[in-house]
Each structure stands twice: as structure tokens, then as C-alpha cells.
Amino acid sequence: MNRKEFLTNSALGVVGLTSLLTASCKNATSETKSPDATSVTADNFELNETTISDLQEKMASGKYSAEQITKMYWQRIEDIDKKGYALNAVIELNPDALAIAKTMDDERKAGKVRGALHGIPILIKDNIDTA
């Protein structure tokens, strides 16, 4: 097989595979959609579309604490990733996250803010080595 035939066959294979996967995804989502999934939308999450600056302002004003924000995002992960759509995209949560958030809140109360990410919970993609 020459290069041109290989590229043509590969392109046809990709188109066919894409069509097959698209069709199977449409069927799978209609069949496996959890009853809870319909109630879990981006619109009903209070921190939807919230920026880091917005979160910092809310913590500075006292509307939220880092601990409250962390709990809200944990609940969001539970609602969508574990229940709702059951994506299982989040492999692990730091068991010390709430304790760290409380420490950040205590520092903020004492007048120490480390920087723009002080008290902001961060989700790290699993292919990032954090050790």
C-alpha cells in the first residue's frame, strides 16, 4: 500500500468510526441517562460561570469562606460526577481539602492573603504529577 492509499483508507476509516461513535453515543445517552441527571444542570449551580476574581471578592466581603466554596464544589462533583451523569471523571479528592480551606480562611481573617489563588479550590487533571 502506498502513502496515498494509506491516507485515503485512514480518512475513510476515521469518518466511518466517527459516524459509528456518534450514533452509539446518541443511543447510549438516551438509554443510560440517570433520573437525577435532568435535575443537574449548569443553571442551578450557584457558582456557575464564577471567576477566580469573583470568588476572591466573595471571600473578602465575607459572603463565602474558602471552606464553604470547597464544600460547594465537592457537592457539585458529587451531583454530576458521581450521581447525576455518573461521569467518574474526578478520580480523587484531597481528603485534606477542607482542613486546608479552613487554614486559608484563618489566614484571611488574620489579614494574610497569599495571592490571587488564596483559598481557591483547584481541580488538577490526573496526568499532572503532584507528588
Side-chain angles (χ1 to χ4, degrees), residues 102-115:
K102 184 173 180 346
T103 300
M104 296 297 106
D105 289 335
D106 292 343
E107 286 182 11
R108 184 180 297 276
K109 286 177 189 170
K112 179 182 179 186
V113 176
R114 298 180 186 199

Side-chain angles (χ1 to χ4, degrees), residues 53-112:
S53 297
D54 292 340
L55 291 174
Q56 286 296 347
E57 288 173 17
K58 290 174 182 182
M59 285 189 289
S61 72
K63 180 173 181 177
Y64 292 122
S65 67
E67 188 175 9
Q68 289 171 315
I69 292 169
T70 302
K71 286 179 181 178
M72 290 171 77
Y73 280 116
W74 267 17
Q75 186 60 52
R76 184 69 169 165
I77 291 167
E78 181 69 23
D79 290 345
I80 292 178
D81 195 55
K82 304 303 176 206
K83 294 178 185 172
Y85 295 107
L87 300 171
N88 294 317
V90 177
I91 295 170
E92 183 177 2
L93 295 172
N94 183 346
D96 300 325
L98 291 176
I100 293 167
K102 184 173 180 346
T103 300
M104 296 297 106
D105 289 335
D106 292 343
E107 286 182 11
R108 184 180 297 276
K109 286 177 189 170
K112 179 182 179 186

